[in-house]
């Protein structure tokens, strides 16, 4: 493995392996077949590319999409790795050149589309060389259970048989066990080892806001992502076109993408996006397959996706380079109705039911009050063990005690209306009763004679909706996933009869997105821009996508560390010897010039290795916690990172949660409530866990602040470790 590490550093320019990469490489080098299931951006390619450089013979890579193949080959060539591809898109001259390189053994890797395997010239070629490894990318295409079945993939099992000394690897980002089994069976793998990586994508920032004035909300969001590349997903073609018109009129760099455009238009638009000519693609779900642009910095969902699988795939197209990327979903109840309407058009009842179950999971994700990674990751059958991911809106939002009031009386009104009308109606009907609207339906059901008729006139329709959704989130009210009718849960009777208090918001939420505290990476944006422009110039000259030259993560690190010598430049992630040779002097001279003409050096260098480390190598909470353990105080750290003290406490909580210890002295002195109350809080933690503070906050009727609760949580978690 020494050799593998050396290749990782010298060729690829990385210091350490990502989770599972090392094990997978070891298995491949030892010629053990394996199946690799890893989310997009997890780093699958390296797993077979490094062994390919260690084997004497050829590594064949089967990949379904020609566009993807081209980018990958280009990326390898930029790293100085001899790579060939053979397909119909090449000119005869290029085809011959690639062919010769494989035949002579010069090329270490050969990329092929599955349909090429049947071609006579190719099969003669492959039989004349020594093949050490057969890699099947997007291996789920072999399974009819996968979402992207391809007939051509079916013959891969037989193809493989004629290369008995080659190891076989299947790679996919699709997780279902059924598809996994299908892959191993159809590829006729020999006692394969399975490697399944976590589905968490820790660098994606997850956020959901109520959709109110979507166009303004989009503008607001885009203005926070100036000069960045991103995708906006819409439900319909019409919506795509109109959003594109409106945004481009305002000067935003956008292009549309949907099934209504000609192939040519779609390809052109996609190409412009990949080459950073256009910043924003506005698309229906038709967009994204076969894109491996690594510097997509945001994905905005203008409409609600139909299910969590699509949502996960779509947001997964951002942040492949590991740099923070923002995923925003605009959520509205009208969208749910729209999707339900389409589901109801389906003929097959089983299909309808399954679509509803999937939609329900999507809604749960959008409505959750706890860390969004819980409903998301758990959906894929994996248990997400961290309470507080620090990378979603719920984990980061300052819990807003001010907006919360005692809403028990309103809750009681709504619950009794549900009860009196028989728990079979949907929300709109219930609100009509509360507001005393004598609709035909209400009159025919005789509900205008109920005592609850009109008892809710003190709130607006909108306010009742908001309240109802909070009761659903708190599981006091349960929504039937088939019919949308509302029912009372067990705990509803506590509210109705035992005077259990309910806290919530009845104020209509503001239209604007809550400003979340920035947790971005500190780097010199001006320098980054200069480097980005240079990257684009070089890419254009060579006719390749910019991210193939350097990933965003590499440019960011340059704009943070200011390398000035070749050795320093080699320390940048993603810079190997070949990239240093090709681009080192150009980029170094930009950096040196910049430092000479700007007074940045002092400031940035002073930002110590701590911040440097935090951005790309080590998660922020660990860096903070270690600094804390080394003696920095919470106040000092909050100042250093320019965040509230609460955030630092949250980092410490997360660190403890991962099984680490922290020193307690600095925490204990901040606790203000007395011992007996502390004990009560700890008992609550014992009983109900530490995932959400909200229940406990409400249990103590808001007497213990969130700040205090978060603090006690850290102390609790730390003591539990003893
Ligand atoms: P996948 O095929 O799983 O979607 P890729 O193989 O394209 O992911 O890798 C995603 C990104 O992560 C690429 O930019 C790649 O260079 C980078 N990467 C892969 N392995 C490492 C590593 N060990 N350290 C740093 N970056 C890595
Ligand atoms: Zn979270």
């Amino acid at each position: 493995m020494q050799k593998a590490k050396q290749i990782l550093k010298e060729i690829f320019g990385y210091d350490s392996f990502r989770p599972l990469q090392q094990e997978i490489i070891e298995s491949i080098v030892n010629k053990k077949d394996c199946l690799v299931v890893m989310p997009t951006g997890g780093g699958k390619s390296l797993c077979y590319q490094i062994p390919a450089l260690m084997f004497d013979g050829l590594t064949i890579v089967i990949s379904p999409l020609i566009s993807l193949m081209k980018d990958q080959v280009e990326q390898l060539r930029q790293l100085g790795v001899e790579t060939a591809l053979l397909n119909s898109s090449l000119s005869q001259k290029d085809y011959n050149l690639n062919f010769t390189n494989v035949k002579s053994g010069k090329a270490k890797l050969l990329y092929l589309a599955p349909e090429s395997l049947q071609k006579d010239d190719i099969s003669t070629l492959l039989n004349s060389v020594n093949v050490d490894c057969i890699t099947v990318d997007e291996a789920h295409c072999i399974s009819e259970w996968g979402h992207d079945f391809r007939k051509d993939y079916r013959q891969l099992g037989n193809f493989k048989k004629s290369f008995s000394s080659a190891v076989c690897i299947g790679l996919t980002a699709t997780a279902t066990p059924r598809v996994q089994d299908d892959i191993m069976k159809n590829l006729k793998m020999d006692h394969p080892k399975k490697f399944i990586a976590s589905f968490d994508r820790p660098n994606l920032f997850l956020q959901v806001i109520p959709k109110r004035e979507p166009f303004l909300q989009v503008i607001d969001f885009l203005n926070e992502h100036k000069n960045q590349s991103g995708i906006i997903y819409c439900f319909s073609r019409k919506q795509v076109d109109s959003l594109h018109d409106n945004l481009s009129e305002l000067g935003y760099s956008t292009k549309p993408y949907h099934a209504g455009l000609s192939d040519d238009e779609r390809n052109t638009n996609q190409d412009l996006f990949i080459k950073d000519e256009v910043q924003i693609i506005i698309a229906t779900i038709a967009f994204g397959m076969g894109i491996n642009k690594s510097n997509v910095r945001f994905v905005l969902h203008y409409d609600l996706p139909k299910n969590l699988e699509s949502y996960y795939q779509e947001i997964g197209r951002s942040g492949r380079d590991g740099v923070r990327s923002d995923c925003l979903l605009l959520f509205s109840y009208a969208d749910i109705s729209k999707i339900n309407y389409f589901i109801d058009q389906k003929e097959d009842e089983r299909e309808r039911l399954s679509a509803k179950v999937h939609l329900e999971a999507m809604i749960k994700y959008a409505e959750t009050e706890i860390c969004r990674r819980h409903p998301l990751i758990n959906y894929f059958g994996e248990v997400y063990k961290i309470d507080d991911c620090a990378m979603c809106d719920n984990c980061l939002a300052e819990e807003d005690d001010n907006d919360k009031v005692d809403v028990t009386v309103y809750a009681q009104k709504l619950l009794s209306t549900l009860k009196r009308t028989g728990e079979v109606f949907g929300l709109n009907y219930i609100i009509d009763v509360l507001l005393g609207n004598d609709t035909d339906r209400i009159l025919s059901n005789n509900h205008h004679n109920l005592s609850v008729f009109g008892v809710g006139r003190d709130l607006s329709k909108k306010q009742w909706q908001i309240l109802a959704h909070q009761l659903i989130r708190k599981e006091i009210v349960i929504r039937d996933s088939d019919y949308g009718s509302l029912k009372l849960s067990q705990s509803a009777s506590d509210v109705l009869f035992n005077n259990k208090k309910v806290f919530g918001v009845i104020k209509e939420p503001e239209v604007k997105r809550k400003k979340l505290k920035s947790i971005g990476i500190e780097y010199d944006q001006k320098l980054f821009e200069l480097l980005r422009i240079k990257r684009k110039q070089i890419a254009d000259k060579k006719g390749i996508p910019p991210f193939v030259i350097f990933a965003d993560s590499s440019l960011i690190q340059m704009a943070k560390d200011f390398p000035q010598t070749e050795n320093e430049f080699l320390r940048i992630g993603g810079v190997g010897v070949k990239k240093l040779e090709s681009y080192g002097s150009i980029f170094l001279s930009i950096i040196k010039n910049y430092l000479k003409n700007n007074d940045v050096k002092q400031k940035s260098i002073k930002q110590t290795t701590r911040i440097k480390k935090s951005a790309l190598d080590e998660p922020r909470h660990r860096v903070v916690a270690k600094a804390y353990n080394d003696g920095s105080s919470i106040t000092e750290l909050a100042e250093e990172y320019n965040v509230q003290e609460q955030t630092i406490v949250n980092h410490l909580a997360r660190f403890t949660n991962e099984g680490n210890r922290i020193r307690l002295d600095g925490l204990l002195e901040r606790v203000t409530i007395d011992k007996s109350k502390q004990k009560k809080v700890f008992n609550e933690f014992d009983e109900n866990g530490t995932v959400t503070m909200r229940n406990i906050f409400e249990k103590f009727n808001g007497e213990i602040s969130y700040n205090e609760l978060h603090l006690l949580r850290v102390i609790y978690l730390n003591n539990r470790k003893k």
Side-chain angles (χ1 to χ4, degrees), residues 371-373 387-392 394-395:
C371 174
R372 294 204 190 274
R373 285 189 156 70
D387 291 347
D388 175 349
C389 76
M391 276 294 276
C392 79
N394 287 343
C395 287

Side-chain angles (χ1 to χ4, degrees), residues 511-526:
V511 169
K512 276 200 106 181
R513 206 152 47 93
K514 231 192 260 167
K515 279 271 180 287
L516 294 164
K517 282 171 287 120
S518 154
I519 51 163
I521 306 159
E522 298 81 356
Y523 60 91
D524 193 306
Q525 310 237 355
K526 245 165 68 192

Side-chain angles (χ1 to χ4, degrees), residues 8 12 14-18 21 38-46 72 75 137 292 294 320-322 551:
L8 178 74
F12 294 90
Y14 299 129
D15 289 325
S16 55
F17 285 111
R18 294 233 182 108
Q21 281 179 333
M38 220 185 240
T40 311
K44 288 188 281 299
S45 322
L46 225 71
Q72 289 227 320
Q75 259 165 327
D137 206 0
N292 76 343
S294 75
R320 293 176 71 131
D321 52 9

Side-chain angles (χ1 to χ4, degrees), residues 315-485:
I315 60 173
R317 294 185 179 126
S318 65
R320 293 176 71 131
D321 52 9
V323 176
R324 174 197 159 119
S325 305
D326 284 315
C327 307
L328 173 68
L329 165 65
L330 301 183
F331 177 55
S332 83
Y333 292 94
D335 283 351
I336 301 180
S337 315
K338 205 158 58 183
I339 296 174
N340 263 321
Y341 172 81
F342 280 100
I343 294 178
D344 289 336
Q345 311 295 308
K346 285 183 197 281
E347 304 256 304
D348 187 278
E349 166 154 11
R350 269 185 38 207
E351 250 180 62
R352 262 196 325 264
L353 282 181
S354 135
K356 294 227 167 171
V357 171
H358 286 123
L359 175 61
E360 199 60 31
M362 185 68 231
I363 301 172
K364 261 227 163 86
Y365 167 84
E367 285 189 325
T368 189
E369 292 188 354
I370 62 169
C371 174
R372 294 204 190 274
R373 285 189 156 70
H374 284 256
L376 186 63
I377 311 275
N378 294 352
Y379 183 77
F380 295 103
E382 180 184 333
V383 182
Y384 188 71
K385 295 198 196 74
I386 300 163
D387 291 347
D388 175 349
C389 76
M391 276 294 276
C392 79
D393 49 358
N394 287 343
C395 287
L396 230 67
E398 303 283 304
E399 308 228 21
D400 214 340
D401 308 2
N402 298 336
D403 286 349
K404 287 234 159 147
V405 290
D406 183 343
V407 295
T408 315
V409 175
Y410 298 114
Q412 286 169 341
K413 286 183 183 180
L414 194 138
L415 296 176
S416 14
T417 308
L418 278 185
K419 206 170 160 61
R420 296 282 160 80
T421 52
E423 302 181 49
V424 291
F425 293 98
L427 181 56
N428 286 334
Y429 187 91
I430 300 297
I431 294 179
D432 276 337
V433 176
L434 280 162
L435 295 177
N437 295 336
D438 44 6
T439 64
D440 291 348
R441 256 178 107 202
I442 288 180
L443 292 176
S444 73
N445 288 328
N446 225 355
H447 285 156
H448 58 297
N449 286 326
L450 292 177
S451 59
V452 289
F453 185 73
V455 293
R457 290 197 178 102
D458 44 350
L459 295 187
S460 69
K461 179 168 181 184
K462 184 104 252 164
Q463 286 175 305
W464 280 116
Q465 283 173 341
I466 292 166
L467 181 73
H469 291 301
Q470 292 173 69
L471 296 181
I472 292 170
R473 284 200 294 268
K474 290 178 198 295
E475 295 183 359
I476 297 171
V477 170
I478 295 170
R479 182 179 37 215
D480 185 292
S481 58
D482 288 343
Y483 304 105
S485 57

